Amino acid sequence: MEDIFRFADELGPARIIHVHNPVVNLKGVLVVDNVAVGPSIGGLRIAPDVSTEECFRLARGMTLKNAAAGIAHGGGKSVLYGDPRMPLAQKERLVRSFACALRDIQDYIFGPDMGTDETCMAWVKDEIGRAVGLPREIGGIPLDEVGATGWGIRHVAHAALRHRDFQIAGARVAIQGFGAVGKHAARFLARDGAVLVAASDSGGTLHDPQGLDVEALIGLKAAGKSVCDYAGGRKLGADAVIDVECDIWIPAARPDVIREDNVRRLRTKLVIQGANIPFTLGAEQYLHENGVLCVPDFIANAGGVICAAMEYRGATQSAAFAAIKEKLRANTEQVLARSRREAILPRAAAMALAVERVRHAMSLRRWALY
Ligand code: NAD
């Protein structure tokens, strides 16, 4: 017999709910992992190959990410089986029906993820009143449009530079992936006097040691073009951004782009992980041993989740940006100080911080007495 408690450990999961509605061909899973810190926030993913195990791992990721970000929310995640490109009317029926089935699960708040967007969140909000990542018209803060995660990266850079021997002004920045995260990080850092020396997208790498015009690049991307359509600079292959000499290297594209086999190519002093799991653990270990500071993803790219938590409270964009600044500066400082003090990887320090916050919150719950 299948062991239905096979994921159980000292943190969770609190609940796993399987939903089936044959009338609309709905099959979905919700995992509420740990809600000691507060009601869980986590995305709704639609994909043909999701599983309960994937849902649990993503929910656990949210428990730790939200705790590390310092927001009063636990971790959860939900998945729906289906092709995300299905006809819109069918998608709406599925999402609305899934939301209705989970109406009473008050400690889970829906957010967007792969296969869902702000329109899906509007349907969920309409059904049950609990969703983040909403359209602006109904109280949402469109985080990719305003650059919440890039704004966070700016403040992580400021905090991390207290542990380096150079300033933001004049620092050479290279960005892998000039999308929602990368372009806004470039914009905010350039405003502080940093010099963007390289940017890449799936079309290739653009390199100019003298500096690139960030606004011109953002204009190109808005017009649906590649950074390589820029008038000046050298055009190289997409992978070449790894070799660019710089002070700050920001991965903002895909997972596992830096591994044990290519980490030696990096020529930088500071890495700020905008993408999720862009480096393997071995690559992070190598950088740590060679004096390159590497701020891990779930500290560095938490601007988005902080923005979502603020949106849920009805905050304005400027209040959300103030919270991102305050939390990410404090978290980065705490993680890097602990990493130095205990001679551990920044990722290990961040993980320890997150688990401690969750454990402490658990100890404050009434059932901790029994
Ligand atoms: P996006 O789709 O807007 O941008 C991704 C960019 O990467 C695009 O410009 C694309 O051309 C480029 N790219 C793809 N493959 C590449 C390659 N091999 N080499 C160089 N560039 C490549 O996505 P995004 O929202 O900016 O997200 C980027 C990463 O950040 C993802 O890992 C995502 O999970 C993570 N993330 C995003 C947010 C957010 O707020 N959007 C928050 C936290 C983490």
Side-chain angles (χ1 to χ4, degrees), residues 143-144 149 177-181 200-202 221 252-254 274-276 301:
L143 55 92
D144 283 345
T149 304
F178 207 71
V181 173
S200 72
D201 58 22
S202 46
K221 294 299 285 185
R254 313 274 313 143
N276 285 320
N301 69 25

Side-chain angles (χ1 to χ4, degrees), residues 15-19 26-33 40-47 50-52 54-60 62 75-81 95 98-99 102 105 108-116 121 124 128 130:
R15 265 183 285 188
I16 301 179
I17 296 171
H18 292 85
V19 178
L26 162 72
K27 282 186 184 149
V29 181
L30 166 68
V31 176
V32 177
D33 183 42
S40 64
I41 290 187
L44 165 60
R45 175 170 293 190
I46 302 182
V50 287
S51 66
T52 303
E54 177 184 352
C55 191
F56 162 67
R57 290 175 58 200
L58 294 166
R60 174 58 52 85
M62 290 310 296
K77 198 87 183 181
S78 56
V79 296
L80 273 181
Y81 291 76
V95 170
F98 193 45
L102 300 173
I105 313 301
Y108 174 63
I109 300 160
F110 282 84
D113 192 66
M114 281 162 54
T116 57
M121 292 306 110
V124 172
I128 64 168
R130 294 190 315 273

Side-chain angles (χ1 to χ4, degrees), residues 235-259:
K235 320 285 155 55
L236 306 161
D239 202 38
V241 71
I242 299 173
D243 304 296
V244 169
E245 191 175 348
C246 61
D247 301 301
I248 306 176
W249 200 82
I250 301 175
R254 313 274 313 143
D256 289 332
V257 291
I258 302 294
R259 306 164 303 271

Side-chain angles (χ1 to χ4, degrees), residues 160-231:
L161 285 189
R162 297 179 60 182
H163 296 256
R164 300 280 82 177
D165 60 356
F166 63 94
Q167 308 294 316
I168 285 274
R172 295 162 304 162
V173 177
I175 296 188
Q176 182 190 48
F178 207 71
V181 173
K183 72 180 179 201
H184 288 294
R187 181 165 68 87
F188 290 122
L189 290 170
R191 228 190 250 178
D192 295 338
V195 182
L196 182 70
V197 293
S200 72
D201 58 22
S202 46
T205 297
L206 173 68
H207 180 215
D208 187 345
Q210 300 308 312
L212 299 161
D213 180 342
V214 174
E215 291 303 331
L217 286 177
I218 290 175
L220 280 176
K221 294 299 285 185
K225 297 186 174 164
S226 162
V227 291
C228 290
D229 292 315
Y230 185 80

Side-chain angles (χ1 to χ4, degrees), residues 90-141:
Q90 188 187 346
K91 196 171 196 174
E92 179 168 359
R93 257 196 320 275
L94 273 187
V95 170
R96 283 184 182 274
S97 139
F98 193 45
C100 281
L102 300 173
R103 180 189 303 282
D104 295 332
I105 313 301
Q106 302 280 345
D107 52 14
Y108 174 63
I109 300 160
F110 282 84
D113 192 66
M114 281 162 54
T116 57
D117 58 12
E118 61 178 36
T119 303
C120 298
M121 292 306 110
W123 298 331
V124 172
K125 168 93 173 168
D126 185 40
E127 293 295 337
I128 64 168
R130 294 190 315 273
V132 295
L134 298 166
R136 202 190 279 277
E137 294 75 13
I138 54 171
I141 306 175

